[in-house]
Amino acid sequence: MTPPPRRRRSAGAPERSYPRRGSVRRAQMITTYGVGSLVAVDNESFIVSGIDSWNVSEAPVIREQRLERVLGVKSFRLPPASDDTSKDGVHVRRFPLWHSCPTCHALQPVSRFNSPPGKNECGDCDEELVPSRFVMACAHGHLDDFPYWKWAHRGNGSAAGPCGGEMRLRSTGKTASLRSILVSCSCGVPEVSMEGAFRSAALADLKVLCRGKRPWLGNAPEESCSERPRTLQRGSSVVWQPIVRTALSIPPHSSGQAARLEPHWDDLRTLDDDDMKLYLRVLGMQVKYEFSVETVRALLAAENREDDPEQGQDNAFHELRRQEYKTLIVGQPESGTDHEEQFVCEPPRSSAAVLEPYGVVGPMLVKRLREVRVLKAFSRVDTPETNADVHEADLSLAPTDWLPAMEVQGEGVFLRLDERRVDDWARNVAVAARADRLRANHLRLMRERAKDPESVPDSPASPRMVLLHTLAHVLITEWSLDGGYPAASLRERLYVDDSMAGLLISTATSDSAGSLGGLVAQGDPARLAATLRSALIRAQWCSADPLCVESEGGGVGGINLAACHACVLLPETSCEHYNGLLDRALLIGTPEDPTVGFFASSIEV
């Protein structure tokens, strides 16, 4: 992580010094190695501790008022950085606790190996210990060591109590399958393989219950849990899935004046006009900035309009998208804004008439953009794209008034489709049938994994949504091939409902991969028309055809139709829907029925 600036330690008791255990980028603390995730450092494995253990006294504060109100916190913070000499940073704990020795094959908790101080070695063999490959997790986010003892003693009548023997773990090396991993005990029970440990009922058959362990929260008490535990590989993607919420900074909250007033809003909300003038005059003298009472009143009025205590959180997030959609349509020109403005959105200078044959209207060049991404919670076993009521595991033992976040400064291109033309196309019986098939597959998948199938919300799959989603994917793919952008450096943001039909493609990372105008240049109408045509022609053929275009359902639960890794699937960082709900046939049609494609007539030679 980026080292913090030099600072003085406060007088008093010295801070406790913890050994340094590797490093990750700050952005990865939101998307990859957040609270509750497992991090491999050399031959060791650790779990990232809860945010209530982090020292954030000097971690930068990130403000985004709209997202703060929806999530019910006062602010966001970047994960704390540390260097080799500092005593703070993100804390981790060793997990899993069960290790094995590759030489003597001993399998037991790491504390029993009599390792030398500061080393993770077998006290008898001087070999580095290997953390357990397998862990036990449940859909409520609990995590525990795999019950090797019960697995080795199953069916031998001694699983009710300890036998006093020593466990061993070895691999035959004959195959890479679980059959080659053997567990034994010196008490004399037959040696067994790990084959079958990943069956959904494997642990339940051993009468292994979830103990409600939360190792990322330190000494947190065990929770009562009725969920069935599952065996997972330590590095599996379903061991930790982040639940991230995002928002764009839009006017009036994106102005430099709003950013300077962030620490003072609690005071300003209580003042009348006369007191506010005096307050702002004094504050302006301190920070050498001229504040406007009218601007402050406009900011407070916007805040009051956005507050609706009766709407649920899902509706609140949807309302955030509506506000962004309206702002992207109206835009905000660069002229008349200060250099601290975080949102600049302008129409292209040349005519957009060249895009009309494609049904694209109102392209906008987002020259300056700020996106805040917040780690709200995380899940295990179940993933948000396949389970509507996924359990959100807590980031801390006690509630906090902040959440970890990151901000991305970049640029983007915003497009809309002609809604009347989209509605006319969506009335096509064949189009509706394909969308209905996707929706049915998605609903079936969510109901199969939900505790209460009747409470599962409706699938977002509609002709309009699938069309815009797939269009975003082919554009990102085309720009990665033609514009020199890595696909993982671009990200989609969809605006879809009965009154919205737009998409924003923006830079997904704050590194050098596209924040100097390159993406905005792709939004020039003439260049965009050429890009659209090239992308759609490319989408007409996939190396997996005819299997791909004739697919009745692909991906997890069949929530894709004509979509695969050879044509429209993207890196996970680029897609909002985890590469689901895609169908390129709705772009260009099928060989049997070209009219299914929205753009079929636009690309005819």
Side-chain angles (χ1 to χ4, degrees):
M1 296 181 185
T2 305
R6 293 181 178 273
R7 70 271 195 186
R8 295 181 180 178
R9 295 292 179 182
S10 59
E15 295 188 18
R16 183 176 178 182
S17 177
Y18 293 95
R20 185 179 175 86
R21 300 292 189 182
S23 62
V24 298
R25 297 191 305 273
R26 273 175 159 168
Q28 290 180 304
M29 296 300 302
I30 307 301
T31 59
T32 310
Y33 298 122
V35 172
S37 66
L38 297 179
V39 183
V41 180
D42 296 329
N43 290 328
E44 299 179 272
S45 176
F46 301 92
I47 190 167
V48 179
S49 297
I51 60 175
D52 47 1
S53 70
W54 296 5
N55 183 350
V56 294
S57 59
E58 297 186 14
V61 176
I62 298 176
R63 302 305 300 266
E64 172 48 51
Q65 287 195 21
R66 299 189 309 134
L67 198 54
E68 288 167 9
R69 286 195 293 274
V70 173
L71 294 176
V73 296
K74 292 183 178 179
S75 65
F76 307 119
R77 286 183 179 269
L78 273 175
S82 63
D83 57 24
D84 290 328
T85 60
S86 62
K87 305 296 190 295
D88 56 6
V90 175
H91 294 178
V92 296
R93 298 173 182 274
R94 188 177 300 279
F95 190 87
L97 297 180
W98 277 68
H99 286 54
S100 61
C101 174
T103 300
C104 66
H105 304 299
L107 174 66
Q108 59 190 358
V110 66
S111 59
R112 298 181 185 176
F113 277 98
N114 195 26
S115 302
K119 295 185 178 181
N120 191 43
E121 297 178 352
C122 177
D124 298 328
C125 309
D126 295 332
E127 284 284 345
E128 288 189 342
L129 299 176
V130 179
S132 168
R133 279 180 56 185
F134 311 104
V135 296
M136 184 176 74
C138 81
H140 276 181
H142 301 130
L143 191 65
D144 207 346
D145 283 281
F146 181 80
Y148 286 104
W149 194 90
K150 287 193 174 183
W151 183 257
H153 292 79
R154 68 186 192 275
N156 288 283
S158 59
C163 63
E166 296 181 353
M167 302 291 296
R168 293 284 186 271
L169 177 72
R170 68 182 184 91
S171 175
T172 64
K174 294 181 179 179
T175 68
S177 68
L178 294 174
R179 185 177 299 178
S180 295
I181 302 175
L182 304 176
V183 182
S184 62
C185 181
S186 62
C187 70
V189 296
E191 191 174 48
V192 298
S193 75
M194 290 295 296
E195 187 176 24
F198 286 83
R199 291 186 298 108
S200 59
L203 297 180
D205 292 345
L206 296 179
K207 295 182 173 53
V208 174
L209 304 178
C210 177
R211 298 191 294 173
K213 290 276 191 177
R214 295 174 291 172
W216 67 96
L217 298 180
N219 298 321
E222 296 180 358
E223 292 184 319
S224 174
C225 182
S226 59
E227 285 290 322
R228 175 183 291 182
R230 293 282 303 273
T231 302
L232 300 174
Q233 290 212 58
R234 174 164 49 90
S236 170
S237 61
V238 294
V239 168
W240 188 83
Q241 282 282 329
I243 298 176
V244 178
R245 297 292 181 256
T246 67
L248 302 182
S249 294
I250 59 175
H253 306 296
S254 60
S255 67
Q257 186 166 173
R260 291 175 182 271
L261 290 171
E262 288 294 357
H264 308 282
W265 282 118
D266 290 339
D267 295 332
L268 290 170
R269 292 186 183 99
T270 64
L271 302 178
D272 57 27
D273 285 347
D274 292 335
D275 292 337
M276 185 179 293
K277 289 180 181 179
L278 179 60
Y279 187 98
L280 293 176
R281 187 178 301 116
V282 174
L283 180 61
M285 293 173 63
Q286 293 175 349
V287 300
K288 297 181 181 180
Y289 189 90
E290 185 176 351
F291 295 100
S292 166
V293 176
E294 291 74 18
T295 302
V296 174
R297 284 299 180 196
L299 288 167
L300 292 174
E303 179 181 296
N304 293 332
R305 287 194 302 270
E306 293 165 3
D307 285 336
D308 184 358
E310 295 183 359
Q311 67 179 352
Q313 196 172 81
D314 289 340
N315 292 332
F317 284 118
H318 190 70
E319 184 58 30
L320 293 183
R321 292 291 175 106
R322 286 179 177 273
Q323 295 166 8
E324 294 170 7
Y325 184 71
K326 294 176 182 178
T327 304
L328 287 165
I329 292 175
V330 174
Q332 175 158 279
E334 190 168 9
S335 60
T337 61
D338 57 35
H339 69 281
E340 295 178 333
E341 175 62 49
Q342 297 169 332
F343 181 84
V344 174
C345 179
E346 299 177 329
R349 295 182 178 180
S350 57
S351 172
V354 69
L355 296 171
E356 291 179 1
Y358 298 96
V360 175
V361 297
M364 299 293 283
L365 309 181
V366 188
K367 297 182 177 180
R368 203 178 301 163
L369 184 69
R370 175 180 180 259
E371 182 186 21
V372 176
R373 302 175 189 168
V374 180
L375 178 62
K376 179 176 181 280
F378 66 89
S379 65
R380 302 195 198 276
V381 182
D382 291 335
T383 56
E385 78 273 20
T386 59
N387 195 325
D389 58 354
V390 61
H391 181 83
E392 298 184 357
D394 295 330
L395 301 184
S396 59
L397 190 57
T400 62
D401 60 359
W402 65 276
L403 288 172
M406 61 175 287
E407 58 182 351
V408 175
Q409 305 277 358
E411 60 192 11
V413 176
F414 174 70
L415 305 176
R416 286 185 295 141
L417 296 182
D418 186 333
E419 293 188 46
R420 182 176 300 177
R421 181 170 167 179
V422 171
D423 290 339
D424 292 342
W425 163 80
R427 295 188 187 99
N428 184 314
V429 175
V431 170
R434 292 187 73 89
D436 288 343
R437 193 185 314 163
L438 275 179
R439 184 187 300 109
N441 290 347
H442 192 208
L443 282 172
R444 184 182 67 253
L445 177 65
M446 291 192 293
R447 287 170 179 162
E448 287 175 353
R449 302 192 176 190
K451 294 179 182 178
D452 182 8
E454 300 302 322
S455 64
V456 170
D458 193 18
S459 169
S462 66
R464 178 180 296 200
M465 182 270 173
V466 178
L467 170 65
L468 283 163
H469 190 199
T470 312
L471 175 62
H473 277 233
V474 299
L475 281 175
I476 291 176
T477 300
E478 188 67 22
W479 279 333
S480 71
L481 296 172
D482 182 57
Y485 289 94
S489 72
L490 301 177
R491 182 179 176 88
E492 68 179 10
R493 192 170 182 85
L494 304 180
Y495 299 90
V496 184
D497 66 9
D498 293 338
S499 61
M500 296 191 296
L503 62 92
L504 171 69
I505 297 176
S506 62
T507 52
T509 59
S510 56
D511 61 10
S512 59
S515 59
L516 300 175
L519 184 56
V520 167
Q522 300 294 327
D524 175 76
R527 181 175 293 180
L528 183 57
T531 299
L532 269 171
R533 180 172 181 80
S534 176
L536 294 170
I537 291 175
R538 195 184 305 277
Q540 286 182 311
W541 177 252
C542 171
S543 60
D545 281 341
L547 295 178
C548 177
V549 74
E550 295 176 357
S551 171
E552 295 294 323
V556 178
I559 58 176
N560 288 330
L561 290 182
C564 70
H565 283 285
C567 50
V568 299
L569 267 60
L570 293 175
E572 289 186 2
T573 56
S574 300
C575 181
E576 287 192 314
H577 293 277
Y578 304 91
N579 276 325
L581 308 180
L582 295 163
D583 183 13
R584 63 187 171 92
L586 295 187
L587 297 180
I588 45 84
T590 64
E592 295 79 15
D593 187 3
T595 63
V596 171
F598 180 82
F599 298 100
S601 60
S602 305
I603 56 177
E604 292 178 354
V605 179

